[in-house]
Amino acid sequence: MISRIKGTQDFLDLSFYNFIIDQAKDHFGAYHFDEISTPILEPVELFQRSLGEHTDVITKEMFIIQEHAERSEAICLRPEATASTMRAFVENGVQVTPWKVFSHGSMFRYERPQKGRYREFHQINIEIIGAQSVSHDVHLITMLERFFAEKLHLDTFALAINYLGCANDRPAYREKLYAFLTSKKAEGICENCQVRREKNIMRVFDCKNPKCQEIYLKAPKIIEHMCQTCNQEWQSLQDQLQLLSVSFVVRTNLVRGLDYYNKTVFEFVSNDLGAQNAFCGGGRYDSLAKEIGAKQDCPSIGAAIGIERLMLLLENKKAQLSIAQPKALHVVMPMGAAQHTLALMIADTLLAAGLCTDVLLEQDSVKSMMRQANRMGAAYTLVIGDSEQQEKTVTIKNMITGTQETIKQIELVNYLKR
Ligand code: HAM
C-alpha cells in the first residue's frame, strides 16, 4: 500500500473545516477584507529575502522543488503567505491602500510532526498592507479576538503581545543583548542559543530550555530600549486594546520565528493545545515591501490562524456551533437494469427541485439496498420496480418512521417538499 506523506492529512469530512472558513469569510468580510488567492508555488528567493536566511523555516524547513532542467529559478512550496501577499501587492501594482485581504490554504514546512504540527498544514492569512497607524494593529487584533471569542465561542485562550521596536532601535539593543549574552550572567546558555547569539540574536528568547529562559529573565528587554515614537505607539497599542476590552498579557520574550517583524508582535495561545500552543500569530512588517524589491516601504500588519490548531481547540465545542447539517438525502432504488433510465430521470427531477438525491445502480436485493440506504443516512428511499414503472408510481419509505406508501411520480417533488 502506498501511504500518505508523513506530516500530511486526509480530510474525509470537510464540514467542520468549511464551517471555520465560512465563519472567517463572514467575519473578515464584515470588516471589509477581500478574499484573494496566491500560488502555492513561489520562487525560493521570495522567502529567502523576506523570512531571514537564519530562520528555522529557511535553514531547515523549506520544501524545495528540484529545479527543472529548463528553468533557472528554484521553486518551493510556500511555507507561509505573508511574503506571497506582499509580492502580489507589489507585482500587481495595487494602488488603493490600506489593502485589506485574507486568503486560506495549504502551507508547507519540513518540521517534526506532532500534535498540532504538520508538514502540510492550513492557515487563514489576514493582512492590512499600507497601514501606518498603530490603530490598524489594534483594529486587526480586536477583529481576531472577536472572531475567536464571539464568532467561535472560544473561551480558553490568551492574547500575548510584545513590541520589537523599529529598525533604528535594533542595532543599539542588539549590542546590549550581545554584551549580556557574553557576560558571566549568561554563562550556561545552551549551544543552540550560542549559535543564535551570533546569527539571529533576538531568537534566543524563543529557546525552550528552562535554564536559558531563567537566564533571559535578567536580559535587557527591547521595550526598555526604544525610541520615543516606539514608546508612544507601544503605550497607545495597550491603551486602545484596553479601551476596546481586549484582554492581553505582555510577554517580553515573544519574538516570533520570522525575521520580517518589527514593532507589534502577538500570538493567541491556549494551554489546551499542549506544546504547540499558538493557534494564531502575527505582527507588523514595515520593511517587507522593500526587501522583496518594491521601490518604497509599505508599513503593514497581519496574522495567520492555524486551522488545524483551531479545530483541535474547538473539538469539544462543536455541539454549540451551528455547523450546517447535511441536507435530507433521498435514495432512488431501481430494482433492475430496466429501471435505471427512469431512476436517473426521477433523480434528475428531484435534483432540479433542489433535493439532495442519490441513485443505487448496483442491482442488489431490496434488502441490501435498504441496508445501504440506512448506512448512507437516507431520509427517504424511492423504490422503482416493474409495477411502479408501468403504473408511473414510486414506493416511498420514510426511513425514520418506517412508513411506506405508493405515490404518483408526478407528485413526488411536492410530496417530498411538503
Ligand atoms: P507563524 O507563526 O509561522 O506565522 O504561523 C501562524 C500559525 O500557523 C501558528 O500560530 C500555528 O497556529 C500555525 N502553524 C505554523 N506552523 C504549523 C505547522 N507546522 N503545523 C500546524 N500549524 C502550524 C506566519 O505564518 C506568518 N505568516 C503570520 C503573519 C501574517 N504575520 C503577518 N501576517
Side-chain angles (χ1 to χ4, degrees):
M1 214 225 16
I2 299 172
S3 309
R4 62 174 179 267
I5 305 280
K6 195 172 165 192
T8 65
Q9 317 159 75
D10 298 313
F11 289 86
L12 302 186
D13 177 356
L14 277 174
S15 51
F16 189 27
Y17 183 97
N18 287 339
F19 168 79
I20 291 174
I21 300 294
D22 289 346
Q23 296 296 307
K25 286 183 182 180
D26 195 50
H27 188 72
F28 302 138
Y31 280 78
H32 195 218
F33 281 68
D34 290 325
E35 186 175 358
I36 60 158
S37 171
T38 57
I40 285 175
L41 297 178
E42 291 278 8
V44 173
E45 197 190 350
L46 174 67
F47 301 105
Q48 279 169 339
R49 282 223 228 160
S50 56
L51 309 191
E53 56 175 325
H54 298 297
T55 56
D56 287 350
V57 176
I58 293 299
T59 54
K60 297 188 273 197
E61 297 169 4
M62 292 286 273
F63 276 93
I64 296 177
I65 296 174
Q66 207 168 10
E67 271 176 41
H68 196 285
E70 293 152 27
R71 297 185 66 101
S72 54
E73 64 185 339
I75 294 172
C76 65
L77 301 178
R78 63 183 177 193
E80 61 102 57
T82 306
S84 304
T85 309
M86 185 57 98
R87 181 203 46 70
F89 172 80
V90 177
E91 190 169 351
N92 292 288
V94 177
Q95 294 298 325
V96 180
T97 54
W99 194 48
K100 295 179 167 188
V101 291
F102 71 97
S103 57
H104 63 91
S106 293
M107 308 294 149
F108 304 83
R109 294 184 196 173
Y110 194 85
E111 294 191 82
R112 197 166 43 79
Q114 56 174 246
K115 184 182 168 202
R117 192 161 74 186
Y118 299 91
R119 288 183 176 169
E120 179 182 4
F121 59 99
H122 300 80
Q123 284 184 342
I124 302 171
N125 189 73
I126 309 112
E127 313 289 353
I128 312 178
I129 293 185
Q132 177 82 55
S133 163
V134 70
S135 297
H136 280 294
D137 309 24
V138 178
H139 198 43
L140 179 91
I141 293 172
T142 308
M143 174 178 82
L144 290 165
E145 196 271 349
R146 304 294 192 247
F147 180 58
F148 301 131
E150 289 170 16
K151 204 88 184 167
L152 300 177
H153 307 292
L154 268 184
D155 46 17
T156 53
F157 70 88
L159 164 65
I161 62 170
N162 193 20
Y163 210 76
L164 302 180
C166 61
N168 296 336
D169 300 333
R170 296 278 182 87
Y173 173 67
R174 279 204 195 99
E175 267 178 38
K176 284 206 169 70
L177 184 57
Y178 190 86
F180 171 84
L181 292 172
T182 43
S183 73
K184 265 206 146 348
K185 289 181 208 154
E187 252 172 33
I189 58 169
C190 71
E191 267 177 39
N192 205 1
C193 281
Q194 289 174 34
V195 175
R196 283 175 168 169
R197 178 183 64 198
E198 305 305 320
K199 294 200 162 161
N200 196 2
I201 193 161
M202 305 271 279
R203 293 279 295 149
V204 296
F205 291 115
D206 233 13
C207 182
K208 299 278 179 287
N209 186 326
K211 191 172 168 206
C212 293
Q213 280 304 336
E214 205 187 312
I215 292 172
Y216 300 148
L217 289 175
K218 294 184 211 110
K221 297 179 180 46
I222 180 88
I223 50 171
E224 289 158 2
H225 298 85
M226 297 192 303
C227 62
Q228 203 187 354
T229 313
C230 281
N231 269 320
Q232 279 165 355
E233 287 184 0
W234 173 222
Q235 194 53 52
S236 169
L237 174 77
Q238 296 174 79
D239 292 346
Q240 290 188 62
L241 286 174
Q242 261 159 10
L243 287 169
L244 282 153
S245 307
V246 176
S247 308
F248 61 86
V249 286
V250 174
R251 224 177 74 202
T252 52
N253 63 353
L254 176 66
V255 286
R256 311 264 307 126
L258 311 167
D259 274 6
Y260 51 58
Y261 292 113
N262 63 321
K263 298 188 173 178
T264 307
V265 284
F266 61 89
E267 277 180 0
F268 286 87
V269 294
S270 173
N271 287 337
D272 295 350
L273 285 171
Q276 305 305 319
N277 69 350
F279 60 95
C280 173
R284 188 163 263 288
Y285 48 96
D286 293 344
S287 326
L288 180 59
K290 259 192 166 167
E291 273 154 25
I292 63 169
K295 290 199 184 77
Q296 282 172 353
D297 270 341
C298 188
S300 304
I301 175 136
I305 300 169
I307 300 181
E308 283 81 359
R309 295 191 193 167
L310 191 57
M311 285 168 79
L312 270 175
L313 273 182
L314 289 170
E315 192 54 45
N316 300 328
K317 292 198 181 297
K318 270 189 193 168
Q320 287 154 257
L321 302 169
S322 44
I323 301 174
Q325 294 299 315
K327 283 179 164 184
L329 172 66
H330 307 88
V331 178
V332 185
M333 297 181 179
M335 288 298 100
Q339 285 84 39
H340 276 191
T341 312
L342 177 59
L344 293 177
M345 288 166 78
I346 287 179
D348 195 46
T349 309
L350 300 191
L351 285 161
L355 295 164
C356 173
T357 310
D358 203 347
V359 195
L360 300 186
L361 298 167
E362 302 309 322
Q363 298 204 38
D364 286 326
S365 66
V366 183
K367 203 170 158 196
S368 75
M369 281 206 225
M370 281 296 175
R371 229 183 285 128
Q372 192 180 345
N374 229 339
R375 275 201 299 270
M376 291 159 78
Y380 287 93
T381 52
L382 289 71
V383 174
I384 310 167
D386 282 338
S387 62
E388 282 92 349
Q389 189 169 23
Q390 272 162 28
E391 287 155 27
K392 298 193 171 22
T393 59
V394 298
T395 301
I396 189 160
K397 181 172 177 183
N398 181 323
M399 297 295 279
I400 294 157
T401 62
T403 53
Q404 192 166 302
E405 56 188 308
T406 300
I407 62 161
K408 293 220 164 65
Q409 287 167 16
I410 202 158
E411 287 165 4
L412 249 182
V413 168
N414 278 346
Y415 178 93
L416 292 171
K417 284 208 144 181
R418 230 185 13 200

